[in-house]
Amino acid sequence: MRMMAAERFAAGEPSSVIAKELRISVRSVQRWRRAWDKNGLRALRSAGSASLPRLSEAQFAQLDAELAKGPVAHGWPDQRWTLSRIKTVIGRRFHKSYTLQGVRKLLIRHGFSCQVPARRALERDEEQVTGWVKETWQHVEGPRRRSTPGSSSRTRPASR
């Protein structure tokens, strides 16, 4: 955003127009313009994260290995990783405290994504399910289209 604004500063556009088109406040654009006037593009570059990450890359590699072992290895009864469980593992293993949102951001930053497991019974027989859908479901659901032409009127034909 700041670099786009800098291009417009060079073109001489007013701050209010830049703010409106970039959908940011006029004060931010004015602050960026002052910095740009003093030190050019270098002044508008990102300074990076405000703080260092709590877990180093080596520690995150250890966390990744712990997560690969699965939740059962850490004492939970099922095979689902939740943010709360990962937060607990981080606390136990590294003695560091994260919020749930902090854990989420940490995982996203390292390429993890939110996934919901498919809940299927182990005894499920796909052939029987397919057969039931083809044979029985049609009778339960009923036909989708009428055999006679329909009407777009919201009133019933008998009431007209």
Side-chain angles (χ1 to χ4, degrees):
M1 296 289 268
R2 292 186 300 267
M3 296 305 153
M4 289 169 41
E7 291 173 10
R8 294 170 178 227
F9 297 155
E13 290 187 37
S15 297
S16 60
V17 172
I18 296 170
K20 186 174 184 179
E21 289 183 12
L22 296 180
R23 294 168 54 185
I24 53 178
S25 71
V26 175
R27 292 186 118 184
S28 292
V29 174
Q30 290 170 343
R31 188 175 61 248
W32 296 347
R33 186 183 296 269
R34 282 192 304 273
W36 181 75
D37 286 339
K38 275 185 174 178
N39 297 321
L41 281 176
R42 266 187 34 222
L44 297 180
R45 281 190 294 175
S46 173
S49 180
S51 63
L52 293 173
R54 290 188 188 149
L55 289 183
S56 68
E57 290 301 317
Q59 288 174 323
F60 188 82
Q62 291 174 359
L63 175 63
D64 195 14
E66 293 295 324
L67 295 179
K69 292 177 185 175
V72 174
H74 293 278
W76 284 286
D78 58 6
Q79 285 293 332
R80 288 180 303 145
W81 277 119
T82 63
L83 293 176
S84 159
R85 290 177 178 184
I86 295 171
K87 174 185 173 187
T88 302
V89 170
I90 292 171
R92 288 177 186 166
R93 182 80 170 92
F94 305 105
H95 305 289
K96 304 219 176 183
S97 176
Y98 270 87
T99 63
L100 293 180
Q101 285 302 315
V103 172
R104 180 181 159 277
K105 288 178 182 179
L106 173 73
L107 294 174
I108 288 173
R109 188 169 47 243
H110 285 88
F112 285 74
S113 63
C114 177
Q115 297 178 5
V116 179
R119 293 194 175 131
R120 301 263 167 109
L122 294 175
E123 302 85 13
R124 180 180 168 113
D125 183 3
E126 289 299 326
E127 290 178 9
Q128 281 187 342
V129 171
T130 305
W132 185 89
V133 168
K134 287 181 179 176
E135 296 168 13
T136 310
W137 180 247
Q138 294 174 356
H139 302 295
V140 173
E141 186 180 47
R144 290 184 181 227
R145 294 187 179 193
R146 297 180 181 190
S147 57
T148 59
S151 169
S152 62
S153 173
R154 291 175 56 178
T155 59
R156 284 183 272 161
S159 68
R160 286 190 251 153

